[in-house]
Amino acid sequence: MKIGIIGAGNIGGNLTRRLTALGHDVSVANSRTPDTLAELAAETGATAVPAAEVGEGADIVVVTVPMKRVPDLPVGILDGVADDVVVIDTCNYYPKQRDGRIAEIEDGMPESRWVEEQLGVSVVKAFNGMYADHLLNRAQPQGAEGRIALPVAGDDGAAKSVVMELVDSLGFDPVDGGGLDDSWRQQAGTPVYGADLDSDGVRRALAEARPERGPDWQA
C-alpha cells in the first residue's frame, strides 16, 4: 500500500521503519522541511515530502503528532485524499506534560473525535497506547504466546478492518475497540494504556475503563 505518515517522532519514525520493511511505499512528513528527514529517508527508503503532500495517492494516512499540533497542520492537508483513504490517529492528550488545556476534551469529548473534527475526515484510533520501541522489538507471528494486542476503534467498519489487518501484519493482535465514541477506553490513563496485554487482557481492560479522567490526565 501507499502510506503517508504525518509526524516523525517515536511512533512515526518506527512505523516508517517497519512499514517500509514490509514493502509498503511510505511518504513521511514533519512540521519542518523534507531535508530534515533525510537521515530517516536514507535509512528506510521512505520518501520525505512536505506535509501538504503526504496524503497524495495514499491508501492510508497516519497522523502521529503532539495533540496540540493537530490544529497547526496545513489547512486542508487531507482535502485531496481519496474518498476511501484510511486515516489513523495515534495521538494522545497530555494536558500537564505537553498539550495544555483543550476545552472540548476536558468536557468529555473523546480525543480522537476531537482530532477527527480538526482534520475534517473520519479517523481510526490505533497505536496510541503502545511503547514506540515495541514496534521494532516486540512483534511476533500470529499465534505466538504472549503476542501483544492493540485496540482499534473507529466508526467506519471497512477502514477499521484495514487498520486491524495492518496491526496484524506488524506483529500484534488487533482487538476491535468499538466505535470512535468508545475510543476513550484506550486513552492515556486507562487500564489498557501501555499495558502490553494479550487479546483477552485488552478486552478486559477496555471493559474495566471508566470515563472519569484521573488527576494526572486533566488540565
Side-chain angles (χ1 to χ4, degrees):
M1 290 185 291
K2 183 171 175 53
I3 300 175
I5 299 178
I6 303 171
N10 293 333
I11 290 289
N14 284 349
L15 280 174
T16 300
R17 293 178 176 93
R18 288 298 317 282
L19 293 170
T20 52
L22 290 173
H24 297 291
D25 178 4
V26 177
S27 296
V28 60
N30 61 12
S31 60
R32 294 173 289 170
T33 54
D35 60 283
T36 61
L37 296 173
E39 185 174 337
L40 179 63
E43 174 193 344
T44 63
T47 303
V49 299
E53 299 176 12
V54 76
E56 292 182 1
D59 302 297
I60 295 174
V61 174
V62 183
V63 179
T64 179
V65 299
M67 186 75 73
K68 67 179 179 180
R69 298 300 182 198
V70 173
D72 298 333
L73 293 172
V75 175
I77 188 171
L78 298 179
D79 283 357
V81 299
D83 290 340
D84 60 351
V85 70
V86 176
V87 179
I88 301 174
D89 167 36
T90 81
C91 304
N92 289 306
Y93 177 49
Y94 300 133
K96 291 183 177 178
Q97 303 95 321
R98 183 190 64 198
D99 298 316
R101 189 177 194 276
I102 298 175
E104 295 92 334
I105 295 175
E106 291 290 331
D107 289 342
M109 180 181 287
E111 295 168 16
S112 285
R113 186 66 76 192
W114 182 84
V115 171
E116 183 179 74
E117 289 194 356
Q118 308 308 305
L119 296 175
V121 296
S122 177
V123 305
V124 177
K125 189 176 190 72
F127 301 111
N128 72 292
M130 69 182 307
Y131 294 101
D133 63 345
H134 288 181
L135 282 165
L136 303 181
N137 57 37
R138 293 292 298 273
Q140 292 182 282
Q142 285 184 355
E145 184 177 355
R147 195 186 200 210
I148 294 173
L150 303 178
V152 179
D155 295 334
D156 184 323
K160 187 160 60 173
S161 292
V162 169
V163 178
M164 293 179 76
E165 290 174 8
L166 188 69
V167 168
D168 185 39
S169 72
L170 286 165
F172 305 91
D173 281 335
V175 172
D176 191 333
L180 206 64
D181 283 339
D182 300 310
S183 64
W184 61 268
R185 295 181 180 274
Q186 66 191 74
Q187 292 175 174
T190 62
V192 77
Y193 181 78
D196 292 343
L197 303 170
D198 63 12
S199 295
D200 288 340
V202 164
R203 294 186 186 97
R204 286 193 300 270
L206 292 174
E208 292 168 359
R210 296 294 177 264
E212 298 80 15
R213 289 180 175 276
D216 290 340
W217 308 105
Q218 299 175 18

